[in-house]
């Protein structure tokens, strides 16, 4: 007797399948694909579009305005839910599909799950070429969707209905694997989407994907314990893996038992509350003085869930102890082996718990503990000075904007940022109160992430105040999802910091001898000359035109009032503030490698190259 089947189109079968997938960790079940973002056009409107209508009762649909932004929203959603849930994104077959590439790269670089479902050519080649088809002269099976291959953790093109069954199962495995997750792409030829097939009913049964917590190897654990006990100046570097594993309590227990301090990457900030005695704040180029000072003298660096990017290591110049060694606890062996480290390949929470048990009775030297606590106190004074406003009637600096926001938010608020000068200021200065509060995308440093990500976070955490902090340059990259926030009734709070130029790259340009070329917004007058006047552009009016309530703040006092009003609002609300462009944040405490022209006739470049040569001489290759 044959197994029962159900006759559906490929698109219908995929939607039914996705609605029946669940993740489970620690005995708690989560819906794996919580909804689908989509912009319909040639290649998905008659396939997935029809299927989403057919099964609207089991698969929520969210209408986006930009394909890239839809991926950002899905990524923000997955991060807020600790990678236990994800969202799908469907697009048409042409520019809609290629617009996914940036978001896919961001997801994969940051190890965050998102399912991409772009339309594709006719698998039958019955219509060839069709509208928007890329004709490759030597490979008929290539389409624009192949641009997604290098930025996807798993890619397949479904050229027959029955091919969906193994491919969909493999896609779910990758999405739920903490060591492999990232963007997953199933390219869907438009004729195959609409083709009917007799599907086995078992394909649509509820299926649970267990997210494992692999334990450390006993031999690796013993070596790690020996290394920690032998260290005189150990330092933990907490990365995003601490949050993904929900290992914050386990980290705190280890710190309180041993006295080992914690410095955090951009992704790991908030692993400890800012006021915990062992929390030293950010590390690396955008880190605090106390973190970077300790990093330079640490004899054992314990990386937990970190990829060790150049910002974290100060481009290889930060860890300067002559005998420094590394111990890396990571669920991904690829990352655990970086810097020729001793490895502890395991789940972060499981590994930290095992370390705490094995280190009973061990504690760092009291003098070391007293040293880093004094450094923490000194840095707290730096933060207070940066946040403080001497004159409430003055135009605020960017750091005073952060200070005003710091005074308004509660422990549950989420603050989202990704690019520009704000990530550096936030990493140094922000006082994270909870694991989810500090939401910085800095693996890809993608301008335009903040607003759509706020939508995804708001969907994941209804009732939570969610703030998107953007500079004027970032706002101009991707404001379109404001319309989606209005349409879906998502009361996100947007803070637009207007300084009339690219502040971060402007400063970097000056430091490398490029003299801020092309980084300011200058107004071309009717006679063709450039002036120093700001562009006649009103971003506040633009946000209002897209449906946001807008509050303009000209002074520190007005800013505080506007932020408080925005936090209480039940609709999407924008706080617009023009800032004093003078630098107000503490300078970088560590170097970052941006190569400077080796020869130039310009004095600024020659001086910058001199500084560069001195700095790069401090780079070490750790073996």
């Amino acid at each position: 007797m044959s197994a029962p089947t159900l006759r559906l189109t490929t698109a219908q079968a995929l939607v039914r399948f996705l609605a029946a997938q669940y993740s489970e960790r620690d005995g708690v079940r989560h819906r794996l694909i919580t909804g689908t973002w989509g912009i319909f056009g040639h290649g998905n409107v008659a396939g997935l579009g029809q299927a989403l209508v057919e099964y609207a009762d089991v698969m929520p649909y969210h209408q986006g305005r930009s394909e890239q932004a839809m991926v950002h929203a899905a990524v923000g959603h997955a991060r807020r839910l600790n990678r236990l849930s994800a969202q799908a994104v469907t697009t048409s077959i042409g520019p809609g599909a290629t617009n996914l590439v940036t978001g896919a790269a961001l997801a994969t670089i940051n190890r965050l799950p998102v399912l991409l479902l772009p339309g594709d050519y006719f698998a039958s080649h019955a219509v060839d070429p069709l509208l928007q088809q890329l004709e490759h002269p030597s490979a008929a099976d290539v389409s624009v969707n192949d641009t997604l291959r290098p930025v996807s953790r798993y890619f397949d093109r479904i050229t027959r209905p029955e091919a969906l069954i193994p491919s969909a199962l493999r896609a779910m495995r990758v999405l739920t694997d903490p060591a492999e997750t990232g963007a997953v792409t199933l390219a869907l030829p438009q004729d195959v989407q609409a083709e009917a097939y007799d599907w086995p009913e078992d394909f649509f049964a509820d299926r649970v994907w267990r997210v494992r917590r692999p334990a450390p190897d006993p031999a690796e654990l013993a070596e790690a314990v020996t290394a920690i006990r032998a260290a005189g100046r150990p330092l933990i570097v907490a990365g995003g893996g601490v949050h993904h594993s929900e290992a914050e309590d386990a980290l705190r227990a280890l710190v309180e038992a041993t006295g080992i301090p914690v410095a955090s990457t951009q992704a790991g900030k908030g692993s400890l509350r800012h006021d915990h005695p062992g929390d030293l704040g950010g590390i690396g180029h955008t880190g605090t003085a106390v973190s970077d000072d300790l990093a330079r003298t640490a004899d054992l660096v314990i990386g937990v869930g970190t990829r060790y990017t150049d910002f974290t290591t100060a481009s290889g110049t930060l860890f300067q102890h002559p005998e420094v060694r590394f111990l890396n606890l990571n669920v991904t062996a690829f990352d655990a082996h970086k810097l020729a480290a001793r490895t502890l390949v395991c789940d972060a929470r499981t590994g930290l718990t095992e370390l705490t048990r094995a280190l009973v009775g061990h504690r760092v030297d009291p003098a070391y503990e007293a040293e880093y606590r004094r450094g923490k106190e000194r840095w707290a004074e730096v933060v207070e000075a940066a946040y403080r406003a001497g004159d409430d009637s003055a135009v605020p600096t960017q750091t005073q904007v952060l200070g005003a926001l710091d005074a308004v938010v509660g422990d549950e608020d989420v603050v989202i940022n990704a690019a520009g000068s704000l990530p550096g200021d936030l990493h140094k200065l922000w006082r994270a109160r909870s694991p989810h509060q500090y939401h910085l995308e800095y693996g890809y440093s993608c301008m335009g992430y903040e607003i759509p990500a706020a939508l995804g976070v708001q969907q994941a955490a209804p009732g939570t105040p969610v703030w998107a902090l953007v500079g004027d340059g970032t706002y101009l990259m991707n404001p379109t999802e404001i319309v989606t926030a209005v349409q879906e009734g998502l009361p996100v709070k947007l803070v637009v910091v207007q300084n009339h130029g690219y502040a971060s790259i402007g400063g970097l340009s000056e430091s490398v001898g490029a003299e801020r070329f092309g980084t300011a917004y200058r107004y071309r007058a009717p006679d063709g000359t450039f002036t120093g006047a700001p562009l006649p552009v009103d971003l506040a009016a633009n946000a209002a035109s897209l449906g946001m309530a807008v509050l303009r703040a000209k002074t520190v006092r007005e800013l505080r009032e506007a932020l408080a009003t925005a936090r209480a609002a039940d609709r999407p609300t924008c706080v617009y503030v023009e800032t004093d462009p003078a630098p107000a944040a503490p300078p970088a405490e560590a170097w970052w490698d941006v190569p400077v022209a080796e020869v130039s006739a310009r004095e600024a470049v020659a001086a910058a190259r001199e500084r560069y040569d001195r700095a790069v001489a401090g780079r070490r290759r750790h073996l």
Side-chain angles (χ1 to χ4, degrees):
M1 182 177 176
S2 60
T5 61
L6 194 61
R7 191 161 183 80
L8 301 170
T9 69
T10 303
Q12 292 164 356
L14 177 57
V15 173
R16 281 280 300 269
F17 170 84
L18 293 177
Q21 306 305 301
Y22 296 87
S23 69
E24 183 179 285
R25 186 166 68 183
D26 304 329
V28 180
R29 187 173 295 190
H30 309 264
R31 178 156 175 172
L32 180 53
I33 306 298
T34 64
T36 298
W37 288 89
I39 296 176
F40 294 114
H42 177 233
N44 71 338
V45 66
L48 274 170
Q50 186 281 324
L52 287 166
V53 171
E54 186 113 357
Y55 297 114
D57 57 331
V58 295
M59 178 57 68
Y61 167 71
H62 310 294
Q63 183 180 24
R65 267 72 194 176
S66 154
E67 290 86 2
Q68 181 185 128
M70 292 193 298
V71 186
H72 292 338
V75 167
H77 186 81
R79 176 173 169 176
R80 177 61 178 79
L81 296 173
N82 296 320
R83 307 192 299 190
L84 296 171
S85 293
Q87 292 178 318
V89 178
T90 178
T91 72
S92 60
I93 66 173
T98 52
N99 284 346
L100 295 173
V101 174
T102 295
L106 181 150
T108 296
I109 285 170
N110 286 285
R111 318 287 167 84
L112 292 165
V114 62
L115 176 62
L116 307 180
L117 305 172
D120 214 320
Y121 56 55
F122 278 70
S124 64
H125 293 278
V127 180
D128 195 9
L130 73 159
L131 177 66
Q132 298 178 321
Q133 180 175 342
L134 171 71
E135 293 185 272
H136 196 288
S138 62
D141 62 343
V142 169
S143 81
V144 294
N145 286 337
D146 287 273
T147 59
L148 288 159
R149 287 183 184 271
V151 292
S152 297
R153 292 294 290 175
Y154 178 76
F155 178 99
D156 195 12
R157 179 175 285 112
I158 310 301
T159 57
R160 289 292 307 142
E162 59 268 32
L164 177 66
I165 295 175
S167 189
L169 293 169
R170 291 172 190 148
M172 299 304 104
R173 181 194 66 78
V174 173
L175 288 173
T176 56
D177 188 327
E180 292 191 36
T181 195
V184 167
T185 301
L186 298 181
L188 302 169
Q190 61 175 310
D191 54 345
V192 177
Q193 287 183 51
E195 186 175 346
Y197 181 75
D198 293 321
W199 303 87
E201 287 190 3
D202 285 350
F203 185 55
F204 308 114
D206 287 0
R207 185 172 278 101
V208 178
W209 301 85
R210 287 187 174 83
V211 181
R212 305 177 188 89
R213 289 194 181 276
D217 176 82
E220 286 193 339
L221 179 63
E223 289 182 358
V225 170
T226 298
I228 293 172
R229 288 186 179 276
R233 300 179 65 83
L235 174 67
I236 294 171
V237 176
V242 175
H243 294 311
H244 299 328
S245 176
E246 298 174 308
E248 297 88 359
D249 289 346
L251 177 63
R252 185 174 65 252
L254 176 65
V255 172
E256 291 175 355
T258 64
I260 302 173
V262 175
S264 301
T265 68
Q266 286 279 14
K269 193 172 170 78
S271 295
L272 293 180
R273 270 186 63 102
H274 73 94
D275 52 2
H276 190 284
D279 179 66
L280 307 182
I283 189 170
H285 177 64
T286 54
T288 68
V290 57
S291 287
D292 288 350
D293 286 348
L294 257 66
R296 292 184 181 96
T297 60
D299 57 357
L300 180 67
V301 178
I302 306 167
V304 182
T306 179
R307 299 188 299 123
Y308 286 111
T309 68
D310 59 342
F311 260 64
T312 298
T313 67
S315 300
T317 64
L318 187 58
F319 305 111
Q320 289 293 330
H321 190 288
E323 298 177 5
V324 65
R325 293 293 181 266
F326 296 84
L327 166 64
N328 292 337
L329 191 166
N330 205 297
V331 74
T332 306
F334 177 83
D335 290 319
H337 281 274
K338 288 177 178 175
L339 300 175
R342 290 183 176 88
T343 61
L344 205 56
V345 181
C346 60
D347 170 73
R349 193 171 87 179
T350 303
L352 290 168
T353 300
E354 291 297 317
L355 279 175
T356 303
R357 288 174 183 161
L359 288 165
V360 170
H362 175 75
R363 193 165 185 88
V364 299
D365 188 287
Y368 179 55
E369 199 166 352
E371 175 190 342
Y372 71 68
R373 290 194 180 197
R374 287 193 299 272
K376 178 180 173 67
E377 290 172 0
R378 289 193 296 271
W379 189 256
E381 294 173 359
V382 172
V383 174
E384 285 294 338
Y387 280 180
R388 190 181 306 121
D391 181 0
D392 278 4
S393 64
V395 173
T397 63
Q398 182 164 284
T399 59
Q400 287 167 352
V401 171
L402 299 184
L405 184 60
D406 175 83
V408 167
V409 300
D411 288 9
E412 69 276 20
D413 292 42
V414 178
V415 176
I416 301 174
N417 187 241
S421 58
L422 276 165
D425 292 357
L426 285 160
H427 200 207
K428 291 188 190 82
L429 304 173
W430 188 258
R431 300 187 280 213
R433 297 154 166 81
S434 63
H436 291 297
Q437 183 170 87
Y438 189 86
H439 186 120
L440 262 283
E441 187 292 297
Y442 215 55
Y444 204 43
S445 184
C446 187
M447 296 177 74
Y449 171 82
E450 298 90 336
I451 297 173
L455 274 59
V457 171
Q458 192 76 80
Q459 289 175 331
T464 298
V466 179
W467 301 84
L469 272 59
V470 301
D472 47 317
T474 294
Y475 179 89
L476 289 167
M477 287 277 184
N478 211 354
T480 55
E481 296 316 300
I482 288 174
V483 178
T484 304
V486 173
Q487 177 176 329
E488 299 238 347
L490 298 170
V492 295
K493 295 89 173 62
L494 172 62
V495 181
V496 178
V497 180
Q498 172 66 278
N499 53 32
H500 300 287
Y502 297 114
S504 175
I505 293 300
L508 180 61
S509 172
E510 186 173 41
S511 73
V512 299
E515 302 174 41
R516 294 185 176 262
F517 177 76
T519 65
Y521 300 155
R522 296 188 300 166
Y523 176 54
R524 188 191 292 271
D527 64 359
T529 61
F530 281 108
T531 74
L535 289 174
V537 174
D538 190 338
L539 300 184
N542 178 259
S545 75
L546 297 176
M548 273 198 142
V550 175
L551 305 168
R552 296 176 184 258
K554 295 182 179 179
T555 67
V556 174
R557 182 183 299 107
E558 290 177 1
L559 175 62
R560 291 198 196 102
E561 294 169 354
L563 292 171
T565 300
R567 188 173 188 273
D570 60 1
R571 60 171 292 192
T573 302
C574 170
V575 175
Y576 174 86
V577 57
E578 296 207 26
T579 56
D580 182 339
E589 297 291 337
W591 186 61
W592 183 45
D593 190 348
V594 178
V596 177
E598 195 167 0
V599 294
S600 172
R602 303 184 75 85
E603 289 184 12
V605 178
R609 182 68 196 198
E610 256 186 68
R611 295 192 298 270
Y612 178 83
D613 289 338
R614 287 196 301 271
V616 79
R619 175 177 288 144
R620 294 181 59 185
R621 296 192 181 276
H622 298 285
L623 294 175

